[in-house]
Amino acid sequence: MAAAIAFLLCLPLAAFAQTATGPSGLPLPRFATLRSEPVNVRVGPGFRYDVAWVYVKAALPVEIVQEFDVWRKIRDYDGQTGWVHQNLLSGKRGGVVTPWAKDGQVALRGRASEDAPVRAWLTPGIVLSVDSCDGKWCAATAAGNKGDGERGTYSGFVRQADIWGVYENEKFK
């Protein structure tokens, strides 16, 4: 028995990351997006708790890390955590392009390949709508620029490693 407990204590916590569930029955942690704007983020799970900050942009990706009744503790790409009501979250997937990079650009390609033509260059911090991921590439839509200064909405493929809002090697449709 003691050997079994010692073995479990040696396992990395990441091994349990996608097997935990909360009151919703959904896995924890998991990604979601903000459903609307503005969204009050509270210091605790309830309306009686103070508002810590307010998101003013819908569709931002957040990671749900804990659940309490109808409240979800979320983490954003800056690592900030707080509580929001479940009705303010959507199961739609989104991402932020390389928020850890201060400068540089990420290619939005026509196909899921490094050899595919570039449809747009995305700067760090651009918010994407993510439709699917195959473990290496994600089909996404974003506002971007073609390199000639022309801005617009573009669809294509982004390397999964260049997005915050999807897990490494995660696959979904």
Side-chain angles (χ1 to χ4, degrees):
M1 180 68 159
I5 292 172
F7 172 75
L8 288 175
L9 292 175
C10 292
L11 288 176
L13 290 177
F16 296 105
Q18 291 294 328
T19 59
T21 59
S24 68
L26 298 172
L28 290 172
R30 68 181 180 278
F31 283 104
T33 53
L34 300 179
R35 183 182 304 273
S36 61
E37 56 189 55
V39 171
N40 290 334
V41 180
R42 298 183 177 275
V43 297
F47 290 113
R48 72 179 186 275
Y49 290 95
D50 290 337
V51 173
W53 73 88
V54 179
Y55 286 112
V56 294
K57 186 172 183 176
L60 286 173
V62 293
E63 185 178 32
I64 300 171
V65 296
Q66 190 177 349
E67 296 181 349
F68 177 78
D69 193 28
V70 296
W71 292 88
R72 305 296 179 254
K73 187 173 188 180
I74 61 167
R75 176 179 23 240
D76 65 16
Y77 65 87
D78 285 330
Q80 300 297 312
T81 61
W83 292 86
V84 299
H85 194 277
Q86 69 182 5
N87 289 343
L88 299 174
L89 298 171
S90 167
K92 288 184 71 171
R93 296 299 295 270
V96 176
V97 174
T98 59
W100 51 86
K102 296 292 180 205
D103 47 6
Q105 295 182 329
V106 170
L108 179 71
R109 299 190 177 274
R111 294 184 321 278
S113 168
E114 292 289 343
D115 299 329
V118 174
R119 290 196 173 160
W121 290 102
L122 307 174
T123 56
I126 294 287
V127 177
L128 305 167
S129 171
V130 179
D131 301 317
S132 64
C133 291
D134 66 8
K136 294 185 191 243
W137 292 89
C138 294
T141 302
N145 112 28
K146 287 182 134 180
D148 58 4
E150 182 181 341
R151 294 199 48 81
T153 301
Y154 303 94
S155 293
F157 295 85
V158 178
R159 287 184 327 126
Q160 199 158 329
D162 291 333
I163 302 173
W164 186 90
V166 296
Y167 295 110
E168 184 179 355
N169 301 317
E170 181 183 13
K171 298 177 184 179
F172 63 90
K173 292 188 187 248

